Amino acid sequence: MKKVLITGASRGIGKATAKEFAKSGHHVIINSRNISELKKTADELGKINEHISYYPCDVSDYNEVKKMFDSIGSVDVLVNNAGTAYLGLFNTMTPSDLRKIIDLDLISVLNCTHIAIQSMINKKSGSIINVSSMWGICGASCEAVYSAAKGGINAFTKALGKELAPSGIRVNAVACGVIDTKMNDCLVPEEKAALEEDIPLGRMGRPEEIAKTICFLAGEESSYITGEVIKIDGGFI
Ligand SMILES: NC(=O)c1ccc[n+]([C@@H]2O[C@H](COP(=O)([O-])OP(=O)(O)OC[C@H]3O[C@@H](n4cnc5c(N)ncnc54)[C@H](OP(=O)(O)O)[C@@H]3O)[C@@H](O)[C@H]2O)c1
């Protein structure tokens, strides 16, 4: 049984990933900010597997992340999933918008990884999976800062994969396409339909389809894969 921490796991991709790990009998710790939503998800997961815990905190704040790890202890698997989207022209964004997106979509990944690897290095084992986006590979208009953050995650994944390989720690990422979660609730049906027309597989992805790849990357079946960014986008890019 592995001890797995998944950030941003009260809903969406994080929750689907927590479910997948729970089904395999692992000890799953879920995180997000809204405690009542988080607890509700933990209760639901508890019906699959009794080894479910939750810890609310804002992962863009290093001190909060440090407190979380002081409380939960070391983990074998870290899934850096928490994130948010921002749709809008770059020139209309405020300095505070820029900071908020970079803090949550990039710095949170550095925060959690920085603390989690201290014990992984001692144990000479561990697996880190970062949830990124296809926009981090090719860039999206009106999502420039989000694209920059996700592109940063992709580069971080490749660099840290090399740095930590001698310590027996693997670092990989999934670059998601358009996935059917609350993050895309802002799209009206016509916008969703237009997007789906652009996707070669003709539909949005399901959170479960991302979860399965994340679990694969955490386990022995992927033991020779590190520093990799796997695109899961229905052929979009
Ligand atoms: N859906 C897509 O089309 C898509 C595409 C590419 C990449 N992704 C990436 O996939 C990841 C998950 O997205 P999703 O679609 O599942 O979104 P979602 O349904 O909105 O879920 C986001 C999760 O992150 C949590 N969260 C947000 N800010 C947080 C913070 N500061 N600290 C801790 N938790 C926080 C949210 O809970 P609280 O708000 O309560 O904290 C929630 O649990 C993100 O990194 C996103 O960029 C998604």
Side-chain angles (χ1 to χ4, degrees):
M1 179 170 65
K2 284 184 177 152
K3 195 169 159 193
V4 183
L5 171 64
I6 306 164
T7 68
S10 59
R11 58 174 189 262
I13 294 168
K15 179 179 172 181
T17 304
K19 253 188 195 164
E20 202 61 35
F21 277 110
K23 281 195 264 174
S24 306
H26 297 297
H27 176 186
V28 184
I29 304 154
I30 58 170
N31 148 272
S32 72
R33 291 165 306 177
N34 181 319
I35 185 155
S36 56
E37 200 185 1
L38 187 62
K39 191 175 174 317
K40 213 173 122 208
T41 300
D43 289 345
E44 197 184 317
L45 295 172
K47 290 177 189 145
I48 305 174
N49 161 352
E50 61 183 314
H51 307 287
I52 306 293
S53 333
Y54 62 93
Y55 192 101
C57 84
D58 179 349
V59 286
S60 65
D61 180 323
Y62 191 92
N63 292 326
E64 284 199 31
V65 174
K66 178 80 178 70
K67 273 192 218 152
M68 172 167 69
F69 277 95
D70 287 346
S71 166
I72 67 174
S74 63
V75 298
D76 305 300
V77 177
L78 168 65
V79 181
N80 284 311
N81 168 75
T84 191
Y86 182 100
L87 269 179
L89 291 168
F90 180 62
N91 67 352
T92 64
M93 292 178 78
T94 65
S96 138
D97 293 333
L98 308 181
R99 193 72 252 176
K100 230 169 85 187
I101 301 300
I102 293 295
D103 279 350
L104 176 53
D105 287 330
L106 177 60
I107 303 294
S108 69
V109 174
L110 310 186
N111 288 344
C112 294
T113 304
H114 189 255
I115 299 171
I117 62 171
Q118 308 304 332
S119 60
M120 288 182 179
I121 289 170
N122 291 336
K123 285 193 286 187
K124 277 200 155 285
S125 82
S127 181
I128 297 164
I129 300 102
N130 299 322
V131 180
S132 186
S133 162
M134 62 179 175
W135 300 137
I137 298 172
C138 66
S141 167
C142 294
E143 293 195 70
V145 182
Y146 179 79
S147 300
K150 295 299 190 182
I153 291 180
N154 295 347
F156 176 65
T157 300
K158 292 174 195 173
L160 201 68
K162 287 178 183 156
E163 186 171 319
L164 293 180
S167 300
I169 302 163
R170 295 185 300 111
V171 187
N172 291 292
V174 287
C176 308
V178 189
I179 310 302
D180 195 6
T181 69
K182 193 174 174 189
M183 187 174 270
N184 290 313
D185 277 359
C186 56
L187 300 172
V188 297
E190 295 74 36
E191 286 171 326
K192 272 193 185 177
L195 251 177
E196 287 182 332
E197 253 180 48
D198 285 341
I199 302 170
L201 282 179
R203 62 170 176 85
M204 290 167 83
R206 293 183 287 272
E208 296 72 25
E209 293 173 311
I210 307 299
K212 285 190 192 298
T213 305
I214 293 174
C215 288
F216 162 73
L217 287 171
E220 271 310 296
E221 295 82 3
S222 62
S223 52
Y224 203 54
I225 301 178
T226 197
E228 192 60 67
V229 179
I230 299 183
K231 219 161 49 75
I232 314 174
D233 67 353
F236 201 133
I237 66 163

